[in-house]
Structure formats: C-alpha cells, structure tokens
C-alpha cells in the first residue's frame, strides 16, 4: 500500500497537528482512485466524525508501540547537509514518524526497542562554519530526544553511511563511533552518564562489531580481524588470523547480528565469510560461494548498497545480486538469494521486480524482506519466505539507503 | 596547507625569515624551505631522503641531528604527503602539501625529539623522525 501524500506523514510526527491532519487526510483521500488506501480510511473516519458532530481536537501523536516489524529508513540524500529518517510500520506500510539529522547521520537502534539514536554532524552556517559532532538519543514512541551528547572536535568519520561503522554495545550502554583521520580510532560515548568517554587508539582497521559490553571486533587492512577490549579504562588489541587473500575484496556492507554475534561478510564475487564473535574470540566458519560456478561465469555478482541481511532465528542469509560488470558493484540489483547459513545451500532466488539498492529483514518468526530503491525513493516490502511483494512505501526523501530494524524476537 | 599555526610559531617564523632569509615558514619545531613541492631532481645528492612507494614510507624511521633537513620523495602516482597531529611539531596540526609522482617536500627539524607523522588521506601510512 502506498502512503498517499507526503504532507499526511507530517501528521504522525511530533510537529503535526490534528486539525491540519484531518483536513489533509480528507483532501488526500478524495484524490485517491486506486482502491482502499490509508488515506481513504482516514477520510471515511473524518467524514463520520464530522457527520456525528464530533469536534476536532488537535494533538501530538505518539507512534504505535515498537515491534520487530518497525523499520527505519535513513536517507543520506546524496550527501546533503541535512537528512531525514523515516520510521515505518512494516506490517501496514505506514510512515509512523520521522527524525531529522545532519550530514551523513548514522542511525542506531537498540535491539530491545527501548530507544533509537543517531551519530550526526551539523555546522553553524548549514554547510560551513563551526562543526559540531553529536550523538542524539530518541524516545521510540514520542520521538523526542532524550539525550544530546557532544563529541570531540571533528571526531566523526564522514562517509557514505555503512551500517556498522558505528554501533551500540549489546547492553545498550555505549555508542562506539569510528574516526578515520588523523589516525584510526574508536570513540566511546557513555549513554548512562550522557557524556563522551574517550577515544581508543586502534590499528589500521574499519567498522565496529560489538561482542560484549567491553569487546568489539574490526576488519583490518592486513586481512585479519582486530579484537579490541576496552574494559577498565585500558585498550587491549589483538589480531586474529588473516582470513582472506588480498585480491578477495570484502564489501562495505556486511550483515551482523548483535544478538547472536554472527558476522556475514560477502566478497565482490559472492563468496561468503562468516564469523561467530564472542567476548573471548572470533570463530571462523568455512566460507562458501553464494553464486554457482555457472552463474559466476554468466556475470552474476552481488551489487548495491546494503547488500547483505541475516535472519538470526532461521540462520538464513539474504544477498542482493544481479548480472553486472565486475566494477559496477554499487549499482542496483533485481534479485535476492536466500541461503542456509549453516550449509551454504540455496533456499530461494527472489525476483524483486525492482531496481533495489539495499535490503534487510525483520527479525520475527515470519520475516518481512525489506527492499529499498534509492532511485525511486521507495521501500518495497516482501514476504521473505515466498518472495511475494506485499506493499510499498514511496516518497522516502531523495536517496534513501539504509534499512534498520530492532531484533526484539525471542 | 599547514594549519593551526600558533602565535609563537608565527613569531618564530618571522625571526627565521629575518635571520635565515630562506625559510618560507616555520612551526615550533620545524621549518619548511619550500611551501610547494619541488621536483625530485632538485633534491641535493647528499640529502637525507625518505622515498614513498607502494603506499609506504620506505624508511619508516630516520634518525637525524637538530638542524638537519629530511626530503620526502614520492615515487608513485598515488598522491601522498607528510602530516603531523596537533602538538607534535607545533601547538596545532601541520599538513604538508600533497606530492605527486617524483615530487619532493623538505622539512628541517630544529629541536630534538621524536616526531610521528602520517599521510593525510592514508592514515595507515605512518613514519617517524628522531632528532638527536
């Protein structure tokens, strides 16, 4: 179901007013011709209220309670100085709220649904002047900020948003953010004390995969993972074995489950590396090829932005693929492979019917497959099992790229 | 370009300009002969050099005397430079000009100490100058 009108979405945000919403809902619904829609339902309700002599009482709404099918869509807007995040109910395809962010704001979601947050950057004169990096924490139902924590000067790595360049620790007490220049470092933000804690010096490694409240892993230039332990004010770094060759290029968008510690990391050709990260160590699984030899010979390769998803309960991997030249790895794809992560066996090859840049899944027992097109600014929602498209949500900013969920399932 | 030059640095630079009349500018603990890169062919034959190639400073650690000049020479098409975090050679940070293939950049170290440096766009490239 397509959400009918951008202005209607404002009704559901913290800046919306009931009177305006009712009027807009009516207007939008009258313009609808494609069968039952959210707008038509709202119009019928408003008409019935009017006929019943019910007065309009403008209020600021809350979102429905957080569940596993809530999905956040972050729009970096092609490097615009200010950005937006859309909060969507995946079950109905309704936008239920929005948040504003600065330049390349990085979204984070507590797996238990207790809050969501972002690491962001703003300037005193929009895109110039004094820069402020900060972490903002939001109540998940009022969408009001509950913390605003300033970071050290120029601390953030400003880059096209990679899902795991910043992370929450599994106990939801710290935000870990990456600094690229002048030297690799990870910043620690204490959400309980609501203050920046310290920078950790790390080796030439990238991305952050927390495995415990004080241990996280990173992927290093030398082909190993770094294990970083920052307990008790110290920083202890050790490296694992080198697990991939120099010519095997790992993509920028691995999938990781904070709940189970599984890291799923494809290469440009679709070879899947998997690691089980615990506080103690990284366990490496036997890698396998997601694409058959015949497919690889026929130019099938992964491609897009957020190309990998992992469903924890079913232990399934979802990978965005299509036929493409070797160096068109950031163009959209039209197919998703569904793979048994334990055996490497293919379960399904879903034809999306759309040019899709990013995918993710809800973490409930009957998951939804989210497929996002930056080109059409539309989120398509599929049954992850059958691959049937159920509904879609359009007008999601200018170039939406990141899909984030809460892993609240058992 | 260099950044974060403190008042003391500026004064030092002015002093050097008057005394030496050759340095284009100076930080607290270094001075720079040419702000812009020079051709590698201009590097004196007996100079202390650090070659840059294959994404590395080929001599990651050099030991010199105070007053010596180190020349960095880039031997590949990938641009590189020499940069210091704040507090290393001056109160502020220092960022040398980018070098393309067969360009050189010279820094004279005026005080004893150990000075860690890195390449601005490639922070994994690091080196050190020890001034005895």
């Amino acid at each position: 179901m397509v959400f009918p009108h951008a202005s209607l979405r404002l009704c559901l945000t913290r800046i919306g007013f009931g009177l305006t919403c009712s009027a807009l809902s009516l207007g939008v619904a009258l313009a609808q011709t494609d069968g039952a829609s959210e707008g038509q339902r709202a119009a019928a309700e408003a008409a019935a209220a009017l006929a019943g002599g019910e007065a309009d009482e403008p209020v600021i709404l809350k979102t429905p309670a957080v569940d596993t099918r809530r999905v956040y869509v972050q729009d970096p807007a092609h490097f615009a100085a200010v950005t937006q995040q859309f909060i969507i109910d995946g079950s109905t395809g309704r936008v239920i709220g929005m948040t504003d962010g600065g330049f390349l704001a990085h979204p984070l979601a507590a797996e238990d649904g207790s809050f969501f947050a972002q690491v962001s950057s703003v300037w005193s004169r929009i895109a110039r002047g004094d820069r402020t990096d900060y972490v903002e924490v939001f109540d998940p139902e009022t969408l009001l900020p509950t913390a605003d924590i300033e970071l050290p000067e120029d601390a953030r790595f400003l880059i096209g948003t990679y899902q795991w360049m910043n992370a929450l620790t599994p106990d939801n007490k710290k935000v870990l953010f990456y600094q690229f220049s002048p030297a690799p470092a990870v910043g620690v933000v204490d959400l309980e004390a609501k203050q920046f804690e310290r920078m950790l010096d790390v080796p030439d490694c990238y991305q952050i995969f927390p495995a415990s409240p004080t241990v996280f892993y990173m992927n290093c230039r030398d082909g190993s993972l770094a294990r970083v332990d920052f307990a008790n004010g110290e920083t202890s770094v050790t490296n694992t074995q080198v697990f991939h060759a120099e010519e095997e290029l790992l993509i920028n968008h691995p999938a990781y489950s904070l709940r189970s510690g599984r890291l799923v990391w494809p290469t440009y050709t679709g070879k899947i590396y998997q690691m089980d990260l615990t506080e103690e160590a990284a366990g490496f699984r036997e890698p396998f090829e997601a694409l058959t030899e015949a497919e690889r010979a026929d130019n099938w390769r992964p491609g897009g932005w957020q190309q990998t998803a992992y469903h924890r309960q079913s232990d399934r991997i979802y990978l965005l693929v299509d036929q493409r030249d070797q160096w068109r790895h950031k163009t959209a794809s039209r197919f998703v492979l569904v793979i048994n992560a334990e055996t490497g066996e293919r379960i399904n090859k879903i034809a999306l019917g759309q040019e899709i840049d990013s995918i993710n899944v809800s973490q409930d027992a009957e998951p939804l497959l989210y497929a996002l097109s930056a080109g059409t600014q539309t989120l398509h929602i599929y049954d992850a099992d059958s691959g049937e498209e159920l509904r879609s949500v359009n007008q999601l900013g200018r170039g939406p790229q990141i899909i984030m969920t809460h892993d609240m399932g058992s | 370009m260099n950044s974060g030059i403190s008042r003391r640095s500026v004064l030092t630079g002015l002093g050097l300009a008057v005394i030496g009349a050759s340095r284009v500018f100076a930080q607290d603990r270094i001075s720079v002969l040419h702000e812009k890169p020079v051709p590698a062919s201009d590097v004196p034959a007996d100079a202390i050099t650090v070659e840059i190639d294959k994404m590395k400073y080929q001599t990651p650690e050099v030991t010199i005397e105070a007053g010596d000049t180190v020349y960095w020479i880039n031997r590949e098409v990938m641009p590189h430079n020499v940069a210091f975090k704040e507090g290393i050679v001056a109160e502020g940070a220092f960022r040398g000009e980018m070098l393309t293939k067969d360009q050189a950049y010279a820094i004279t170290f005026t005080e004893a100490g150990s000075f860690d440096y890195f390449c601005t766009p490639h922070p994994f490239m690091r080196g050190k100058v020890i001034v005895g």
Side-chain angles (χ1 to χ4, degrees):
Chain A
M1 185 179 295
V2 175
F3 204 83
H5 196 283
S7 54
L8 185 55
R9 279 179 253 151
L10 291 177
C11 309
L12 303 166
T13 73
R14 63 179 183 270
I15 59 169
F17 294 94
L19 187 62
T20 314
C21 290
S22 298
L24 283 171
S25 301
L26 193 58
V28 168
L30 290 172
Q32 284 281 332
T33 55
D34 58 351
S37 70
E38 194 63 36
Q40 287 174 326
R41 184 194 61 75
E45 278 183 14
L50 193 61
E54 209 175 297
D56 195 12
E57 296 291 343
V59 293
I60 297 172
L61 300 178
K62 287 185 178 180
T63 72
V66 183
D67 65 18
T68 49
R69 288 186 157 188
R70 173 183 283 203
V71 53
Y72 300 82
V73 171
Q74 175 71 31
D75 175 20
H78 306 292
F79 299 90
V82 292
T83 52
Q84 293 178 312
Q85 178 175 249
F86 300 85
I87 308 169
I88 296 165
D89 177 1
S91 297
T92 61
R94 291 179 65 220
V95 174
I96 56 174
M98 293 169 69
T99 52
D100 298 314
F103 185 56
L104 296 171
H106 185 112
L108 300 164
E111 298 292 26
D112 64 3
S114 57
F115 66 89
F116 67 98
Q118 63 181 351
V119 191
S120 187
S121 300
V122 292
W123 280 259
S124 57
R125 291 289 185 273
I126 300 182
R128 63 180 177 83
D130 296 331
R131 170 177 160 182
T132 304
D133 292 350
Y134 62 103
V135 170
E136 197 171 17
V137 181
F138 298 94
D139 178 284
E141 293 182 10
T142 65
L143 310 188
L144 293 171
T146 58
D148 184 334
I149 305 162
E150 202 159 311
L151 306 181
E153 192 177 356
D154 300 347
R156 281 188 72 209
F157 183 20
L158 300 179
I159 191 167
T161 310
Y162 300 164
Q163 203 182 353
W164 290 99
M165 197 59 84
N166 302 287
L168 285 163
T169 52
D171 61 359
N172 294 324
K173 291 182 177 175
K174 313 266 188 190
V175 167
L176 305 172
F177 68 90
Y178 186 68
Q179 182 177 49
F180 176 74
S181 182
V186 171
V188 182
V189 177
D190 185 333
L191 293 180
E192 285 189 317
K194 296 187 177 181
Q195 64 184 22
F196 169 76
E197 197 170 286
R198 64 188 171 112
M199 298 300 295
L200 314 175
D201 289 332
V202 295
D204 180 19
C205 309
Y206 305 84
Q207 312 225 29
I208 299 166
F209 307 101
S212 84
T214 57
V215 170
F216 61 89
Y217 291 80
M218 308 180 77
N219 180 38
C220 304
R221 183 171 297 273
D222 66 6
S224 71
L225 295 181
R227 177 187 177 276
V228 182
D229 187 337
F230 63 102
N232 306 317
E234 303 289 324
T235 309
S236 164
V237 181
T238 52
N239 283 78
T240 69
Q241 68 198 65
V242 172
F243 65 93
H244 68 101
E246 192 169 354
E247 65 272 15
E248 287 185 319
L249 306 176
L250 271 60
I251 66 172
N252 290 325
H253 300 276
Y256 181 60
S257 169
L258 265 178
R259 294 275 303 273
S260 71
R262 178 71 62 80
L263 178 57
V264 180
W265 212 320
T267 67
Y268 278 31
T269 62
K271 186 175 180 179
I272 308 279
Y273 286 95
Q274 290 187 88
M275 303 80 162
D276 293 300
L277 307 180
T278 67
E279 182 171 61
E280 291 72 32
F284 290 85
R285 289 173 176 251
E286 191 63 32
F288 61 81
E289 296 286 352
L291 291 159
T292 65
E293 200 172 325
E295 285 170 327
R296 293 200 302 278
D298 206 17
N299 291 321
W300 283 88
R301 295 181 174 89
W305 192 255
Q306 193 177 330
Q307 301 164 40
T308 326
Y310 175 70
H311 188 255
R312 179 177 56 83
Q313 287 187 50
S314 64
D315 197 22
R316 288 183 178 184
I317 295 167
Y318 297 79
L319 182 64
L320 201 48
V321 298
D322 208 331
Q323 287 173 294
R324 53 168 39 83
D325 295 335
Q326 184 179 2
W327 299 113
R328 292 190 182 275
H329 50 283
K330 289 186 180 176
T331 55
S333 292
R334 297 168 296 165
F335 298 87
V336 165
L337 302 181
V338 186
I339 303 159
N340 181 328
E342 181 68 31
T343 63
E345 177 192 358
R346 185 178 302 179
I347 295 164
N348 199 358
K349 186 175 187 176
I350 299 171
L352 298 166
Q354 313 287 340
E355 298 275 346
I356 294 300
D357 298 278
S358 297
I359 58 169
N360 207 338
V361 288
S362 62
Q363 294 291 341
D364 50 333
E366 296 177 346
L368 297 173
L369 170 64
Y370 301 119
L372 180 62
S373 168
T376 62
Q377 303 88 40
T378 300
L379 179 70
H380 299 271
I381 303 175
Y382 301 78
D383 180 317
D385 190 38
S386 68
E388 178 196 357
E389 182 168 355
L390 304 173
R391 57 193 75 92
S392 64
V393 190
N394 64 2
Q395 300 184 51
L396 299 175
R398 282 174 282 180
Q401 285 187 295
I402 299 295
I403 309 168
M404 183 174 75
T405 63
H406 296 282
D407 185 357
M408 300 169 70
S410 55
Chain B
M1 252 311 286
N2 57 311
S3 59
I5 298 174
S6 65
R7 177 176 291 183
R8 184 181 157 203
S9 312
V10 173
L11 292 174
T12 308
L14 288 173
L16 278 170
V18 171
I19 297 164
S22 60
R23 306 292 175 190
V24 294
F25 63 89
Q27 301 275 311
D28 284 12
R29 301 174 195 102
I30 61 170
S31 61
V32 175
L33 185 56
H34 302 287
E35 184 183 332
K36 298 292 179 189
V38 297
S41 56
D42 287 1
V43 177
D46 60 347
I48 302 163
T49 60
V50 175
E51 304 259 334
I52 308 173
D53 202 6
K54 297 181 173 57
M55 304 295 281
K56 281 180 182 163
Y57 300 106
Q58 294 296 317
T59 316
E61 188 173 306
V62 291
T63 302
I64 60 171
E65 299 297 321
D68 284 348
T69 299
V70 179
Y71 286 80
W72 281 265
I73 307 171
N74 188 8
R75 294 300 189 191
E76 64 182 354
V77 291
M78 181 72 78
H80 297 295
N81 76 338
V82 175
F84 299 87
K85 285 201 241 182
E86 61 182 34
I88 303 293
V89 295
E91 190 179 314
F94 174 88
R95 195 169 95 183
E97 290 277 321
M98 299 301 298
L99 309 177
T100 56
K101 186 174 167 61
D102 293 328
Q103 287 189 325
Y105 192 79
I107 297 176
T108 303
F109 292 79
T110 53
E111 285 186 20
S114 179
F115 304 98
D116 291 318
Y117 64 89
F118 64 98
C119 175
T120 300
H122 311 116
F124 52 91
M125 291 177 60
R126 302 181 202 190
K128 179 185 286 190
V129 176
I130 298 167
V131 184

